[in-house]
Amino acid sequence: MVMAEEEESGVSIQLEFPKGRVKKIMALDKDVKRVSSEALFLVSRSTELFLQFLAEKSAQVAIEKKRKTVNLEHIREAVKRHQPTRDFLLDELPPPSQPTKPDRPTQPAGRPKLDPPPRGTRRIDLFFRKPELDDPAQAQPPENPAQAQPPENPDQDQAQSPVPVDES
Amino acid sequence: MEDSIGGSSSNDNNIIKEQDRLLPIANVGRLMKQILPQNAKISKEAKETMQECVSEFISFVTSEASEKCRKERRKTVNGDDICWALATLGFDDYAEPMRRKSRTKIQEASTNQNDLC
């Protein structure tokens, strides 16, 4: 199925793709009635060149992203970078899916993103804050420092938050 | 020198096998491996995508060339049409080197009384 061709220098080159299969793909176009052997050769050869070009660009993208395996995302990026290829091929590629292992982790590895806490949960730092007063006038310190009296119950602040009791 | 390709039975029944629509994945994979660095790997998904890409490329170029033939009321797509299509679609850097090679092939074929197809 492989068709041998010769260059001007006399060195033979081989077409990588079977001409019968190339012909069948061309025949999918209903308008195509007859194809010359020269046209078939040119289509096969240009397809090889296109594949080599796209593989090379995809490999470059993979190297940029520090990956050893060329995958679909690298091909998509290579297609985007070449205008003529993008014009006819970008819409034909499968839609981008959410990668399970992204090329660059968006979240630092040490601090995973947690789910939001359930309603009614209080932050722990509220425990250490002074209770805020509704009246802003009361929040001002008294003019005479001697009038400032300590709270009658020194454990009053702590009494507001329940302390677990070990029943055992 | 010409191939009639319009009337295949699979087209008449509107049933196109998947393997007839795509180039062989082994050939695609082999050609990709030749281009990539030695230690590089290719995912199966990438090979399958590349299969689709090259088939789409063939259809794209063929469609443009056959449209030119239709406008000029010709039935046979020839090498000039393919080169014109490649240039029109932005792949003109492929066209000329292949054109020179192709001319040599045709001359050799006619000398040896061998048909390329």
Side-chain angles (χ1 to χ4, degrees), chain B residues 45-80:
Chain B
E45 190 184 28
K47 284 182 192 175
E48 289 169 354
T49 302
M50 202 65 89
Q51 251 188 314
E52 296 275 356
C53 288
V54 291
S55 295
E56 194 62 35
F57 177 81
I58 292 171
S59 300
F60 190 50
V61 173
T62 303
S63 172
E64 198 72 20
S66 72
E67 181 65 18
K68 183 174 187 284
C69 288
R70 192 185 64 78
K71 284 178 181 174
E72 296 175 5
R73 296 184 181 182
R74 288 185 288 109
K75 288 187 176 180
T76 303
V77 178
N78 59 37
D80 287 325

Side-chain angles (χ1 to χ4, degrees), chain A residues 1-17 19 36-46 48, chain B residues 1 98-110 112 114-117:
Chain A
M1 292 295 284
V2 178
M3 183 166 60
E5 300 293 341
E6 294 179 9
E7 295 191 53
E8 289 104 329
S9 61
V11 180
S12 69
I13 59 167
Q14 285 190 323
L15 290 177
E16 286 287 336
F17 301 126
K19 62 178 181 177
S36 72
S37 54
E38 185 190 17
L40 187 57
F41 167 75
L42 288 172
V43 169
S44 298
R45 188 74 186 111
S46 62
E48 284 179 34
Chain B
M1 290 293 288
M98 289 191 309
R99 194 82 183 99
R100 288 197 300 272
K101 282 181 197 170
S102 179
R103 288 245 183 264
T104 311
K105 304 311 153 300
I106 301 301
Q107 287 167 6
E108 286 171 359
S110 59
N112 299 331
N114 288 333
D115 195 7
L116 279 177
C117 292

